[in-house]
Amino acid sequence: MKKRTLSPEEREQALLDVAQALVMGDIDKDQALRRDTLGLSQQAYADLVGVSWRTLLDLEQGKGNVSLAVMNRAFGHWG
């Protein structure tokens, strides 16, 4: 199934919603990454932020021991 392209306004609102949920403690960083805020596949998002798909999957599942630099890249679209 093809992913729906989000408008810039929809992307911004989705990012705000996820950021608010993260700050309020309603979700953790792993759950925040799993939210589809850009309308991209996991592979496309991993390519965009410069991490491997496997690293992104590990982050989403709370596995592995990733560096702060990798986490910053994974959350880069929020900045």
Side-chain angles (χ1 to χ4, degrees), residues 1 8 11-12 25 27-28 34 36 38-39 43 53-54 57 63-64 69-70 73 76 78:
M1 182 169 85
R11 279 194 302 273
E12 182 177 353
I27 61 174
D28 61 23
R34 284 192 295 271
D36 182 12
L38 297 177
Q43 183 62 58
W53 171 81
R54 184 69 209 167
L57 185 63
K63 297 179 181 175
V70 170
R73 284 200 307 268
W78 298 41

Side-chain angles (χ1 to χ4, degrees), residues 3-21:
K3 289 193 162 280
R4 182 175 77 91
T5 302
L6 300 175
S7 71
E9 294 81 15
E10 290 172 319
R11 279 194 302 273
E12 182 177 353
Q13 186 59 54
L15 286 170
L16 289 172
D17 292 344
V18 171
Q20 181 178 8

